[in-house]
Amino acid sequence: MVEITGMKQVSEVVWEIPTSYKQGMVVPARIYATKKLLGGMDRGVFEQVTNVASLPGILKYAYAMADAHWGYGFPIGGVAAFDMEKGVISPGGIGFDVNCGMRLIRTNLRFAEVKPKVKELVDLLFRLVPAGVGVKGFVNVSQSQFEEIMRFGVKWCAENDYGWDDDVSHVEEGGFIKGADPSKVSTQASSRGIRQLGTLGSGNHYLEIQVVDPSRHFDPELAKNFGIVHPDQVLVMIHCGSRGFGHQIGSDYLRVFDGAMKRYGINVRDRELACAPFTSKEGGDYYGAMVCAANMAFANRQVIVHRVREAFKKVFHREAEALDLHIIYDVCHNVAKSEKHRLNGSEKELLVHRKGATRSFGPGHHDIPAPYRQLGQPVIIGGSMETGSYLLIGTAKAMEETFGSTAHGSGRTMSRTAAKKQIRGNELQRSMESRGIYVKAATMDGLAEEAGVAYKDISEVVETMSIAGISKKVVALRPIGNIKG
DNA sequence: ATGTTC
């Protein structure tokens, strides 16, 4: 295990690095991990999380979750909340893929009915949802329509025949974050994004057909609240983000922030921590543009849901409504937004950065869809395409401890290059098929990079959050079909 | 993650 001077164990799965660890730390850092996961974390995570703890206006702690790994400036699996007046906003704390996120859709189908149709379903979805680097979508919108999408995300989609009325309320923030400002988006970003609606992208993005996995976890009493009533029920999970649009916005503003830091006299330990005061012109402009990317990502996943409904309708010869293809929920992984949290006994509006981390709001929060409000917000944890995923719910403890946040997935343990060296894509595809996972991928190298062995054990990550009490298990899901970017 | 090294 990496030796970190002064790090102390706070509880079974919580570790704290004090401000004495390095000069300039404003708050301590906290890491959520079992001993096993902590031992596997690279030194970069500890350096990065303590760098984040040194940023102006950071409150309480800089967090690294159980799935944390080295990222651009901030660790992936990181959470940091900032004071609105004295704090900063940082693209490195959000990620290039703004509002990369997960969406879970239920069906009323059971495994036996879907099994013989998996290939047909996956092949059709592979045609309907363009996957891979640089792919274009099938949605044609004008610049002014694209600006409406930047402002209203899922709401625009639902009003324009790409969704159902109740889709909007089943997405984090009601399907769009307020404060989008399309005038702060470069024409270069717009021209990349306008053709990318309804596309999956590449890397670890996927569209997956899944089935409940009672051998790992199934709590029927909790699950029924989400319309999951059978131990072999089929669901669909989508993992993707804002594509080249968010990436371009991130790149644009990193350049702006380079200069802004000099003007505002901000010194950071690492150039990748580029940031600007949230109240500054540069900080506000980036926020307005970044929210446009977040809303485009919500809309992107929404158009994909529309395609999923089309595909199921075609393959099962029933209307999407009759197949109960409702969105259970949609969560952001990479975003900063204004949220109210209790701090030192009073409620305060804060700027919460989550990068490779999931919101995990506890029971009763007004932002949770009414049918689940008293349970907690659905938390969707995506594993690798071989090992499966989880549905969890947020807790009151997460509200108290982590600004209502938890982990987001399994996290890589092996570099993409190492995975490609070790694994042959076509062999992996055959092996997965023999294990009952029919996978279609844009490229075989891309498939090899996403092999299950390149990722941490998802169950260990989920167990950490469960022991910590920052989210609670509802159901485990295993893949039966996968479309890979 | 990314018109995968503007």
Side-chain angles (χ1 to χ4, degrees), chain A residues 341 354 359-369 372-379 393-400 402-405 469-472:
Chain A
H341 289 278
R354 295 192 186 90
R359 205 183 70 174
S360 183
F361 279 178
H365 198 285
H366 62 82
D367 197 48
I368 303 171
Y372 334 132
R373 192 164 298 149
Q374 294 318 311
L375 295 168
Q377 176 215 300
V379 170
I393 46 176
T395 63
K397 200 169 179 201
M399 300 311 283
E400 290 159 23
T402 55
F403 298 109
S405 310
I470 56 172
S471 35
K472 186 174 174 182

Side-chain angles (χ1 to χ4, degrees), chain A residues 331-351:
Chain A
V331 292
C332 311
H333 281 166
N334 288 1
V335 82
K337 56 185 154 69
S338 144
E339 291 175 1
K340 275 190 184 133
H341 289 278
R342 282 194 82 76
L343 191 72
N344 305 324
S346 62
E347 194 152 84
K348 209 170 180 300
E349 194 85 26
L350 313 171
L351 186 69

Side-chain angles (χ1 to χ4, degrees), chain A residues 97-102 131-132 199-208 237-243 300-301 304 333-334 385 416 440 446 450 455 482-485:
Chain A
D97 188 7
V98 174
N99 192 7
C100 175
M102 310 290 312
T199 64
L200 201 56
S202 68
N204 63 358
H205 289 165
Y206 59 75
L207 165 52
E208 197 165 84
M237 191 175 275
I238 296 163
H239 178 213
C240 66
S242 53
R243 310 280 287 99
N300 188 26
R301 293 195 284 277
I304 294 172
H333 281 166
N334 288 1
M385 62 185 183
R416 293 185 176 277
K440 279 200 86 143
E450 293 303 315
Y455 282 88
N482 183 298
I483 290 124
K484 257 289 6 91

Side-chain angles (χ1 to χ4, degrees), chain A residues 219-281:
Chain A
D219 182 330
E221 280 307 302
L222 280 179
K224 71 177 184 196
N225 296 286
F226 304 96
I228 304 171
V229 294
H230 300 297
D232 58 353
Q233 195 165 327
V234 171
L235 295 98
V236 181
M237 191 175 275
I238 296 163
H239 178 213
C240 66
S242 53
R243 310 280 287 99
F245 184 57
H247 192 275
Q248 187 64 50
I249 289 169
S251 308
D252 290 343
Y253 279 92
L254 275 170
R255 270 199 300 274
V256 173
F257 280 20
D258 239 14
M261 284 207 296
K262 289 190 195 85
R263 285 194 289 281
Y264 298 111
I266 299 172
N267 288 303
V268 291
R269 304 189 68 95
D270 175 355
R271 199 167 166 223
E272 293 184 356
L273 292 167
C275 59
F278 184 60
T279 53
S280 68
K281 177 178 171 10

